[in-house]
Structure formats: C-alpha cells, structure tokens
mmCIF file of all heavy atoms in Angstrom:
data_model
loop_
_atom_site.group_PDB
_atom_site.id
_atom_site.type_symbol
_atom_site.label_atom_id
_atom_site.label_comp_id
_atom_site.label_asym_id
_atom_site.label_seq_id
_atom_site.Cartn_x
_atom_site.Cartn_y
_atom_site.Cartn_z
ATOM 1 N N LEU Q 148 112.527 168.588 -101.543
ATOM 2 C CA LEU Q 148 112.253 169.049 -102.861
ATOM 3 C C LEU Q 148 112.934 170.454 -103.088
ATOM 4 O O LEU Q 148 113.416 170.724 -104.146
ATOM 5 C CB LEU Q 148 110.696 169.188 -103.073
ATOM 6 C CG LEU Q 148 110.241 169.841 -104.432
ATOM 7 C CD1 LEU Q 148 110.686 168.851 -105.508
ATOM 8 C CD2 LEU Q 148 108.752 169.845 -104.419
ATOM 9 N N VAL Q 149 112.761 171.337 -102.027
ATOM 10 C CA VAL Q 149 113.405 172.609 -102.148
ATOM 11 C C VAL Q 149 114.870 172.443 -102.167
ATOM 12 O O VAL Q 149 115.552 173.249 -103.075
ATOM 13 C CB VAL Q 149 113.115 173.513 -100.838
ATOM 14 C CG1 VAL Q 149 113.864 174.685 -100.743
ATOM 15 C CG2 VAL Q 149 111.510 173.794 -100.885
ATOM 16 N N ALA Q 150 115.476 171.606 -101.489
ATOM 17 C CA ALA Q 150 116.993 171.412 -101.528
ATOM 18 C C ALA Q 150 117.375 170.922 -102.797
ATOM 19 O O ALA Q 150 118.363 171.349 -103.356
ATOM 20 C CB ALA Q 150 117.504 170.451 -100.365
ATOM 21 N N GLY Q 151 116.608 170.080 -103.387
ATOM 22 C CA GLY Q 151 116.955 169.496 -104.745
ATOM 23 C C GLY Q 151 116.884 170.489 -105.872
ATOM 24 O O GLY Q 151 117.667 170.606 -106.670
ATOM 25 N N LEU Q 152 115.746 171.353 -105.789
ATOM 26 C CA LEU Q 152 115.675 172.446 -106.805
ATOM 27 C C LEU Q 152 116.673 173.506 -106.607
ATOM 28 O O LEU Q 152 117.158 174.056 -107.757
ATOM 29 C CB LEU Q 152 114.272 172.943 -106.640
ATOM 30 C CG LEU Q 152 113.013 172.133 -107.115
ATOM 31 C CD1 LEU Q 152 111.795 172.809 -106.873
ATOM 32 C CD2 LEU Q 152 113.166 171.939 -108.637
ATOM 33 N N THR Q 153 117.079 173.797 -105.436
ATOM 34 C CA THR Q 153 118.265 174.726 -105.238
ATOM 35 C C THR Q 153 119.428 174.163 -105.901
ATOM 36 O O THR Q 153 120.166 174.983 -106.470
ATOM 37 C CB THR Q 153 118.373 175.001 -103.663
ATOM 38 O OG1 THR Q 153 117.067 175.437 -103.136
ATOM 39 C CG2 THR Q 153 119.466 175.978 -103.441
ATOM 40 N N GLY Q 154 119.700 173.019 -105.568
ATOM 41 C CA GLY Q 154 120.962 172.366 -106.200
ATOM 42 C C GLY Q 154 120.944 172.476 -107.819
ATOM 43 O O GLY Q 154 121.924 172.757 -108.588
ATOM 44 N N VAL Q 155 119.825 172.303 -108.392
ATOM 45 C CA VAL Q 155 119.633 172.413 -109.880
ATOM 46 C C VAL Q 155 119.805 173.856 -110.404
ATOM 47 O O VAL Q 155 120.541 174.084 -111.271
ATOM 48 C CB VAL Q 155 118.206 171.864 -110.333
ATOM 49 C CG1 VAL Q 155 117.917 172.086 -111.806
ATOM 50 C CG2 VAL Q 155 118.156 170.280 -110.036
ATOM 51 N N VAL Q 156 119.105 174.662 -109.583
ATOM 52 C CA VAL Q 156 119.305 176.087 -110.021
ATOM 53 C C VAL Q 156 120.769 176.592 -109.879
ATOM 54 O O VAL Q 156 121.299 177.201 -110.712
ATOM 55 C CB VAL Q 156 118.427 177.008 -109.089
ATOM 56 C CG1 VAL Q 156 118.598 178.381 -109.325
ATOM 57 C CG2 VAL Q 156 116.845 176.707 -109.564
ATOM 58 N N LEU Q 157 121.457 176.248 -108.709
ATOM 59 C CA LEU Q 157 122.748 176.676 -108.584
ATOM 60 C C LEU Q 157 123.681 176.057 -109.680
ATOM 61 O O LEU Q 157 124.664 176.702 -110.076
ATOM 62 C CB LEU Q 157 123.296 176.295 -107.193
ATOM 63 C CG LEU Q 157 122.649 177.095 -106.033
ATOM 64 C CD1 LEU Q 157 123.172 176.532 -104.724
ATOM 65 C CD2 LEU Q 157 123.078 178.591 -106.117
ATOM 66 N N ALA Q 158 123.437 174.765 -110.048
ATOM 67 C CA ALA Q 158 124.387 174.235 -111.122
ATOM 68 C C ALA Q 158 124.054 174.822 -112.257
ATOM 69 O O ALA Q 158 125.067 175.026 -113.112
ATOM 70 C CB ALA Q 158 123.930 172.693 -111.091
ATOM 71 N N ALA Q 159 122.853 175.202 -112.586
ATOM 72 C CA ALA Q 159 122.600 175.750 -113.877
ATOM 73 C C ALA Q 159 123.099 177.218 -114.030
ATOM 74 O O ALA Q 159 123.618 177.679 -115.051
ATOM 75 C CB ALA Q 159 120.993 175.970 -114.158
ATOM 76 N N CYS Q 160 123.343 177.910 -112.865
ATOM 77 C CA CYS Q 160 123.903 179.293 -112.830
ATOM 78 C C CYS Q 160 125.401 179.342 -112.778
ATOM 79 O O CYS Q 160 126.030 180.325 -112.927
ATOM 80 C CB CYS Q 160 123.364 180.098 -111.709
ATOM 81 S SG CYS Q 160 121.553 180.414 -111.866
ATOM 82 N N SER Q 161 125.971 178.094 -112.355
ATOM 83 C CA SER Q 161 127.412 178.025 -112.149
ATOM 84 C C SER Q 161 128.175 178.199 -113.491
ATOM 85 O O SER Q 161 127.790 177.487 -114.485
ATOM 86 C CB SER Q 161 127.805 176.723 -111.525
ATOM 87 O OG SER Q 161 129.094 176.532 -111.589
ATOM 88 N N PRO Q 162 129.205 178.937 -113.658
ATOM 89 C CA PRO Q 162 129.968 178.933 -114.864
ATOM 90 C C PRO Q 162 130.648 177.638 -115.134
ATOM 91 O O PRO Q 162 130.842 177.309 -116.398
ATOM 92 C CB PRO Q 162 131.018 180.048 -114.606
ATOM 93 C CG PRO Q 162 130.911 180.620 -113.317
ATOM 94 C CD PRO Q 162 129.844 179.887 -112.739
ATOM 95 N N ILE Q 163 130.887 176.843 -114.167
ATOM 96 C CA ILE Q 163 131.427 175.575 -114.393
ATOM 97 C C ILE Q 163 130.415 174.619 -115.191
ATOM 98 O O ILE Q 163 130.762 173.855 -115.970
ATOM 99 C CB ILE Q 163 131.971 174.835 -113.092
ATOM 100 C CG1 ILE Q 163 132.993 175.701 -112.508
ATOM 101 C CG2 ILE Q 163 132.331 173.507 -113.295
ATOM 102 C CD1 ILE Q 163 133.457 175.357 -111.057
ATOM 103 N N GLY Q 164 129.119 174.765 -114.753
ATOM 104 C CA GLY Q 164 128.111 174.044 -115.375
ATOM 105 C C GLY Q 164 127.731 174.345 -116.899
ATOM 106 O O GLY Q 164 127.214 173.653 -117.418
ATOM 107 N N VAL Q 165 128.303 175.367 -117.247
ATOM 108 C CA VAL Q 165 128.153 175.769 -118.598
ATOM 109 C C VAL Q 165 129.368 176.191 -119.319
ATOM 110 O O VAL Q 165 129.486 177.008 -120.379
ATOM 111 C CB VAL Q 165 127.090 177.037 -118.799
ATOM 112 C CG1 VAL Q 165 125.616 176.782 -118.218
ATOM 113 C CG2 VAL Q 165 127.667 178.291 -118.015
ATOM 114 N N ALA Q 166 130.341 175.515 -118.954
ATOM 115 C CA ALA Q 166 131.612 175.900 -119.565
ATOM 116 C C ALA Q 166 131.871 175.407 -120.944
ATOM 117 O O ALA Q 166 132.913 175.812 -121.635
ATOM 118 C CB ALA Q 166 132.789 175.224 -118.624
ATOM 119 N N ALA Q 167 131.018 174.544 -121.514
ATOM 120 C CA ALA Q 167 131.199 174.098 -122.825
ATOM 121 C C ALA Q 167 130.410 175.029 -123.859
ATOM 122 O O ALA Q 167 129.262 175.506 -123.500
ATOM 123 C CB ALA Q 167 130.830 172.700 -123.035
ATOM 124 N N GLY Q 168 130.750 175.187 -125.048
ATOM 125 C CA GLY Q 168 130.098 175.763 -126.079
ATOM 126 C C GLY Q 168 130.091 177.314 -126.033
ATOM 127 O O GLY Q 168 130.857 177.879 -125.199
ATOM 128 N N PRO Q 169 129.443 177.954 -127.030
ATOM 129 C CA PRO Q 169 129.414 179.505 -127.028
ATOM 130 C C PRO Q 169 128.850 180.116 -125.839
ATOM 131 O O PRO Q 169 129.192 181.236 -125.477
ATOM 132 C CB PRO Q 169 128.600 179.731 -128.311
ATOM 133 C CG PRO Q 169 128.246 178.448 -128.872
ATOM 134 C CD PRO Q 169 128.662 177.365 -128.050
ATOM 135 N N SER Q 170 127.911 179.433 -125.048
ATOM 136 C CA SER Q 170 127.302 180.118 -124.039
ATOM 137 C C SER Q 170 128.378 180.152 -122.836
ATOM 138 O O SER Q 170 128.074 180.869 -121.849
ATOM 139 C CB SER Q 170 126.148 179.232 -123.497
ATOM 140 O OG SER Q 170 126.499 177.986 -123.186
ATOM 141 N N ALA Q 171 129.536 179.599 -122.870
ATOM 142 C CA ALA Q 171 130.522 179.746 -121.822
ATOM 143 C C ALA Q 171 130.997 181.141 -121.750
ATOM 144 O O ALA Q 171 131.150 181.651 -120.580
ATOM 145 C CB ALA Q 171 131.693 178.852 -122.137
ATOM 146 N N ARG Q 172 131.097 181.907 -122.813
ATOM 147 C CA ARG Q 172 131.494 183.337 -122.849
ATOM 148 C C ARG Q 172 130.466 184.189 -122.243
ATOM 149 O O ARG Q 172 130.783 185.021 -121.327
ATOM 150 C CB ARG Q 172 131.890 183.680 -124.191
ATOM 151 C CG ARG Q 172 133.210 183.192 -124.721
ATOM 152 C CD ARG Q 172 133.667 183.689 -125.894
ATOM 153 N NE ARG Q 172 132.527 183.304 -126.899
ATOM 154 C CZ ARG Q 172 132.806 183.034 -128.238
ATOM 155 N NH1 ARG Q 172 133.909 183.265 -128.766
ATOM 156 N NH2 ARG Q 172 131.827 182.512 -128.884
ATOM 157 N N VAL Q 173 129.120 183.770 -122.518
ATOM 158 C CA VAL Q 173 127.944 184.601 -121.869
ATOM 159 C C VAL Q 173 128.059 184.390 -120.356
ATOM 160 O O VAL Q 173 127.827 185.340 -119.524
ATOM 161 C CB VAL Q 173 126.792 184.152 -122.540
ATOM 162 C CG1 VAL Q 173 125.564 184.795 -121.900
ATOM 163 C CG2 VAL Q 173 126.741 184.564 -123.979
ATOM 164 N N ALA Q 174 128.131 183.046 -120.022
ATOM 165 C CA ALA Q 174 128.206 182.671 -118.534
ATOM 166 C C ALA Q 174 129.295 183.450 -117.824
ATOM 167 O O ALA Q 174 129.138 184.093 -116.747
ATOM 168 C CB ALA Q 174 128.305 181.285 -118.387
ATOM 169 N N THR Q 175 130.478 183.514 -118.415
ATOM 170 C CA THR Q 175 131.635 184.326 -117.850
ATOM 171 C C THR Q 175 131.229 185.724 -117.722
ATOM 172 O O THR Q 175 131.444 186.271 -116.674
ATOM 173 C CB THR Q 175 132.906 184.224 -118.603
ATOM 174 O OG1 THR Q 175 133.215 182.775 -118.713
ATOM 175 C CG2 THR Q 175 133.968 184.834 -118.150
ATOM 176 N N ALA Q 176 130.688 186.375 -118.806
ATOM 177 C CA ALA Q 176 130.174 187.769 -118.720
ATOM 178 C C ALA Q 176 129.146 187.894 -117.779
ATOM 179 O O ALA Q 176 129.290 188.881 -116.932
ATOM 180 C CB ALA Q 176 129.694 188.190 -120.041
ATOM 181 N N GLU Q 177 128.237 187.011 -117.438
ATOM 182 C CA GLU Q 177 127.290 187.381 -116.453
ATOM 183 C C GLU Q 177 127.832 187.039 -114.990
ATOM 184 O O GLU Q 177 127.446 187.926 -114.082
ATOM 185 C CB GLU Q 177 126.194 186.228 -116.525
ATOM 186 C CG GLU Q 177 125.340 186.559 -117.797
ATOM 187 C CD GLU Q 177 124.303 185.339 -118.071
ATOM 188 O OE1 GLU Q 177 124.288 184.436 -117.458
ATOM 189 O OE2 GLU Q 177 123.340 185.654 -118.843
ATOM 190 N N THR Q 178 128.923 186.373 -114.815
ATOM 191 C CA THR Q 178 129.510 186.179 -113.407
ATOM 192 C C THR Q 178 130.583 187.254 -113.152
ATOM 193 O O THR Q 178 130.774 187.679 -112.071
ATOM 194 C CB THR Q 178 129.944 184.810 -113.266
ATOM 195 O OG1 THR Q 178 130.993 184.537 -114.360
ATOM 196 C CG2 THR Q 178 128.833 183.784 -113.269
ATOM 197 N N THR Q 179 131.311 187.711 -114.206
ATOM 198 C CA THR Q 179 132.455 188.610 -113.954
ATOM 199 C C THR Q 179 132.180 189.936 -114.534
ATOM 200 O O THR Q 179 132.969 190.912 -114.278
ATOM 201 C CB THR Q 179 133.636 188.017 -114.776
ATOM 202 O OG1 THR Q 179 133.429 188.036 -116.146
ATOM 203 C CG2 THR Q 179 134.134 186.708 -114.198
#
C-alpha cells in the first residue's frame, strides 16, 4: 500500500505527469 501510494504521489508531482494544459507551466515553475 505504501509503495503504491508513493508511486501515485510521485506521478502526480512529476512535470511529465502534468505536461498537458495550463497547469504544465505551473508544474514547470514548481520544479525549476
């Protein structure tokens, strides 16, 4: 369960996971 949740959290925080739409610029700003 912990491993699965960690994977979901990491995928949600990844800029690749949010590369579509207006939130992509926000994700880029948060990581860079």
Side-chain angles (χ1 to χ4, degrees):
L148 182 61
V149 168
L152 287 174
T153 302
V155 169
V156 169
L157 289 174
C160 293
S161 166
I163 296 170
V165 291
S170 63
R172 288 182 292 209
V173 173
T175 300
E177 289 174 348
T178 58
T179 65

